Amino acid sequence: MNLVPGSRLVTPLYKVLLASITYASSSTYVLLVCHSNVSLPQKIMRKKDMAKLTGLHLRAGVYQLRILIPQDLQASYEGKTKITRSLGTSDLREAHVLGTHARANALQGFEDKRRSLRPQVISHITAEMTEYVATEISRLVALVDDVVRDNPELAAELLRATSSSSLIIPTANFPVSAAKFNSAQLSRFAGLSDELADAWAQNNKSSKEFADRLMAKRDLTYIYELASGVTATIGLTLQEDTPGIRDLLKVCLEAYRDAWIAMTRRDRGETIPNPEKRPITGGSGKPFEAQKLRDIFDRWRKARARSPDSVNACLRALSKFEECLGSTPLKKLSRSQGDTFRAWIQEQPITSKTARDQFTWIKTLLKYAYRDIEVIDRNPWEGLEISFKTTTMRRPWSFEELTTLFSQPLFTDYQLPRTAKAGHDAAYWIPLLGLYTGARISELAQLRSSNIFKAEEDFIIEITDAGEGKKLKTTASNRRIPVHPELVRLGFIDYVAAVHAAGHVSIWPRLKLNANKPGAGISAWFGTFRKSIGLTEKNPDFHCFRHSVRTQMSRAGIDPKVQDHITGHSTGGSVGVTVYQNVNQADLVNAIASITYKGLNLRRTY
């Protein structure tokens, strides 16, 4: 059995096991633990191991592998969140082998993509950076030692797998019988057997002696590879001609040797705590010099709670920035480059509004870097703007479009769609509610049976953000709307009563709500549905029901502030007008009654 510092361990299974340490560079661990060029034989892959392969699942009799795309790379994969690959086999053992290799290749692909998008060469080395890298190397040695000591099966498989391998630089031979490494005989709490403990102690001793030789020869080649692996995980690239690199490597080599000395003390039973992971910022509180905008994005994202939509929109803009300008060091980012990006983004096949939004997201990150964390002395892009014009104006539904929509079997025969996003009964009622209230689709999707009640002589729909998980666009969105007589005739009140009697809280028991965009599911379904019936233009969409409602009320001479209340808009005018001019229920009933669609005949089917 030979464990030799100096060469790579190439085994997907071992990389998977070491991934539990949650460090970005699994190859770094491999270099630290065992440096012989071996591959684990297939016979050690037991069925219980195969069942744990992340993303492996059976579909139509064939195993497939689902691999999640890291969030920071999704924009580079056309917004996709996962990759699914058929492994072309129904055999679990074969699927595990194929899946392990496929997953390893995919993960390596992600790392390659990440490096290609944001490589950044370290311009110079600071004392903080040296301390960070040296501490991280020491910490990784100790973490790997922990993994092996806490996992007898891992230790047994590692030692057994290497016992018969040919070695690049043979050093110590461990006379340990592979038969004694039967992992099935190991107790869960027994720790390492005497043979395993002796073998691992010999590995630690050999690694310490290897570090001694490097120190004696001032050979920094090996530690350069380790240090490069550490800096790569924080988005930085070491080069051989980086000023101060030799001093950094000397400190790192000393830390590496001291770490193995500490591990040999563990072999004697001493308690040696792991070094604590240092923050990427040094003791001065200032980040490392070689920062890029993506580093700022990571800090901005974590600074406070932000919606997934905001994070993803900013991330898409950041990917465009990197596509245009590469990974320019943050402190070298100029106003001229801002003008270059502004021109470039407007030439892309996107709307002027999208171009403006993406440019603004980059300015948001620069503003955060300047004002919030003071990483840069000024915001070089302040004052640069992109003007835009709305390319497509929303409009009311035409009579012909309404006739096309409501002549479908869904509305004439209550033939409810089966797709989950439609929400069963919600697919019938929500478009009708939009037609006769002008409410937003997200507001209607969140309605509960308690939000429908009778006040005086009128049935009321209460749109409110009161209640766990409910959210509205603005404060003005909280309102009460009388139920249109046509909705009563079509059976809406009867439907709500039936849902309430069944004990449901939501009036749409089968509609799944997105936590951040409650109406996203049914909105997507409605868009697909209207296109399937020939309404393929961008307009009219669901939001256009709001324009239809306001158009009908305006034609009937309804006061604009009453219209604003119905649709949930903030009332214009002075504070006095906005706050003190209340709208009474009679005005609302009259406004709702004015919403009519001459010639549109809807038959009750509920």
Side-chain angles (χ1 to χ4, degrees):
M1 164 65 200
N2 297 300
L3 296 177
V4 185
S7 59
R8 293 181 183 274
L9 174 68
V10 285
T11 159
L13 176 58
Y14 195 53
K15 287 186 178 182
V16 171
L17 291 169
L18 291 177
S20 63
I21 303 176
T22 64
Y23 195 76
S25 180
S26 58
S27 61
T28 298
Y29 290 113
V30 171
L31 286 164
L32 288 166
V33 180
C34 173
H35 313 282
S36 55
N37 196 16
V38 302
S39 294
L40 293 183
Q42 288 189 14
K43 66 180 181 180
I44 69 172
M45 293 192 292
R46 300 174 302 279
K47 186 171 182 178
K48 67 177 183 178
D49 293 322
M50 292 188 282
K52 295 179 181 178
L53 180 59
T54 303
L56 185 66
H57 62 282
L58 191 64
R59 182 173 183 179
V62 177
Y63 280 101
Q64 298 196 358
L65 184 68
R66 182 185 299 109
I67 304 169
L68 297 180
I69 299 174
Q71 189 179 59
D72 63 315
L73 295 179
Q74 290 174 8
S76 300
Y77 287 83
E78 301 179 341
K80 296 178 181 178
T81 60
K82 61 180 179 292
I83 299 171
T84 302
R85 296 176 179 173
S86 173
L87 300 177
T89 180
S90 58
D91 181 78
L92 177 59
R93 185 177 298 276
E94 183 180 7
H96 185 276
V97 174
L98 295 173
T100 298
H101 285 284
R103 183 172 180 80
N105 290 336
L107 295 179
Q108 185 60 53
F110 294 152
E111 288 303 312
D112 293 342
K113 171 68 74 173
R114 193 174 276 117
R115 291 190 185 97
S116 68
L117 287 174
R118 47 175 180 155
Q120 180 150 353
V121 177
I122 298 173
S123 57
H124 68 281
I125 294 170
T126 64
E128 290 90 350
M129 185 182 299
T130 299
E131 187 175 4
Y132 173 86
V133 177
T135 302
E136 196 67 357
I137 288 175
S138 299
R139 190 179 72 88
L140 298 182
V141 171
L143 285 176
V144 173
D145 185 79
D146 275 344
V147 169
V148 173
R149 292 182 193 276
D150 292 341
N151 293 272
E153 291 187 359
L154 170 59
E157 291 174 357
L158 177 62
L159 296 175
R160 180 175 63 246
T162 56
S163 61
S164 59
S165 302
S166 58
L167 301 168
I168 298 176
I169 311 175
T171 53
N173 291 314
F174 302 114
V176 184
S177 170
K180 294 184 179 181
F181 293 153
N182 186 349
S183 59
Q185 297 176 0
L186 295 173
S187 168
R188 175 173 297 182
F189 304 112
L192 300 179
S193 66
D194 290 339
E195 292 83 3
L196 288 174
D198 290 344
W200 189 247
Q202 182 62 48
N203 172 70
N204 291 342
K205 179 182 177 183
S206 297
S207 296
K208 183 264 181 186
E209 292 171 351
F210 173 70
D212 286 340
R213 290 197 301 274
L214 295 180
M215 289 283 290
K217 298 188 297 181
R218 297 287 178 91
D219 185 349
L220 304 175
T221 305
Y222 175 71
I223 208 68
Y224 171 73
E225 187 172 6
L226 283 183
S228 297
V230 170
T231 57
T233 64
I234 55 175
L236 304 178
T237 301
L238 275 177
Q239 290 188 331
E240 294 180 1
D241 58 353
T242 301
I245 189 172
R246 191 169 187 86
D247 291 335
L248 176 143
L249 296 179
K250 287 180 181 178
V251 173
C252 290
L253 179 55
E254 185 174 352
Y256 178 71
R257 192 268 308 270
D258 290 346
W260 285 116
I261 291 175
M263 296 310 99
T264 61
R265 291 172 59 194
R266 280 186 179 178
D267 294 327
R268 296 195 295 271
E270 295 185 39
T271 300
I272 306 296
N274 293 347
E276 293 186 4
K277 182 174 177 62
R278 297 183 61 83
I280 295 179
T281 56
S284 65
K286 293 289 185 180
F288 293 154
E289 291 295 321
Q291 283 202 91
K292 52 186 175 293
L293 200 58
R294 187 168 288 269
D295 299 320
I296 302 304
F297 166 78
D298 291 335
R299 294 189 62 176
W300 169 85
R301 177 173 55 88
K302 298 173 182 177
R304 64 177 178 85
R306 305 184 191 276
S307 72
D309 288 338
S310 295
V311 171
N312 290 332
C314 188
L315 188 58
R316 287 191 295 270
L318 180 58
S319 295
K320 289 292 186 182
F321 169 87
E322 292 172 337
E323 184 179 346
C324 175
L325 298 178
S327 294
T328 304
L330 190 61
K331 290 190 173 182
K332 295 183 179 180
L333 196 60
S334 68
R335 192 172 186 83
S336 175
Q337 287 174 308
D339 183 62
T340 298
F341 179 65
R342 178 172 62 176
W344 180 86
I345 196 68
Q346 293 182 86
E347 294 173 353
Q348 304 308 301
I350 54 179
T351 66
S352 58
K353 181 181 183 303
T354 301
R356 192 282 303 265
D357 290 345
Q358 294 191 342
F359 188 74
T360 301
W361 277 119
I362 300 303
K363 289 177 59 182
T364 296
L365 294 179
L366 291 173
K367 180 179 178 181
Y368 173 78
Y370 167 52
R371 293 190 178 179
D372 290 57
I373 57 177
E374 299 182 341
V375 173
I376 51 179
D377 298 328
R378 64 186 182 89
N379 180 356
W381 291 13
E382 186 175 0
L384 297 179
E385 304 289 346
I386 291 180
S387 59
F388 78 97
K389 59 181 180 179
T390 302
T391 55
T392 304
M393 297 293 291
R394 284 195 171 100
R395 57 171 177 80
W397 286 70
S398 69
F399 173 77
E400 292 74 16
E401 290 163 342
L402 289 175
T403 300
T404 298
L405 176 64
F406 290 108
S407 64
Q408 302 304 311
L410 168 61
F411 299 102
T412 60
D413 299 315
Y414 210 77
Q415 292 185 15
L416 302 177
R418 296 182 178 181
T419 178
K421 287 184 177 181
H424 203 61
D425 296 277
Y428 175 83
W429 288 111
I430 285 183
L432 287 170
L433 287 165
L435 182 66
Y436 285 107
T437 68
R440 301 175 180 91
I441 195 167
S442 61
E443 296 170 342
L444 298 172
Q446 297 178 83
L447 286 178
R448 300 175 180 179
S449 58
S450 60
N451 298 140
I452 317 297
F453 52 86
K454 197 168 187 178
E456 300 176 7
E457 297 299 321
D458 306 298
F459 287 104
I460 300 295
I461 297 174
E462 182 182 40
I463 294 176
T464 174
D465 56 7
E468 184 178 356
K470 298 185 72 175
K471 57 178 61 180
L472 298 179
K473 184 176 182 180
T474 65
T475 302
S477 299
N478 287 275
R479 62 199 187 277
R480 292 183 175 185
I481 308 172
V483 177
H484 196 287
E486 188 70 354
L487 292 172
V488 176
R489 184 186 67 80
L490 292 172
F492 177 63
I493 299 302
D494 296 332
Y495 167 77
V496 173
V499 172
H500 180 69
H504 297 294
V505 175
S506 169
I507 65 172
W508 323 118
R510 295 172 67 173
L511 179 62
K512 294 182 179 180
L513 301 184
N514 181 294
N516 296 293
K517 284 190 172 183
I522 192 165
S523 178
W525 165 80
F526 185 78
T528 302
F529 176 70
R530 69 177 178 83
K531 290 176 183 177
S532 72
I533 60 176
L535 302 175
T536 57
E537 299 296 326
K538 185 174 182 179
N539 286 323
D541 58 7
F542 193 95
H543 193 84
C544 290
F545 285 133
R546 292 170 64 77
H547 293 264
S548 296
V549 165
R550 288 201 73 111
T551 298
Q552 295 301 315
M553 291 191 294
S554 295
R555 288 175 179 172
I558 302 300
D559 190 318
K561 67 182 177 64
V562 178
Q563 295 188 40
D564 287 340
H565 181 97
I566 295 290
T567 56
H569 283 121
S570 297
T571 301
S574 67
V575 174
V577 172
T578 302
V579 175
Y580 297 112
Q581 287 193 3
N582 293 322
V583 178
N584 61 45
Q585 186 166 313
D587 292 334
L588 298 176
V589 170
N590 181 54
I592 285 294
S594 72
I595 304 171
T596 59
Y597 302 95
K598 187 177 180 179
L600 183 64
N601 298 314
L602 300 174
R603 181 168 62 90
R604 174 164 177 161
T605 58
Y606 173 71

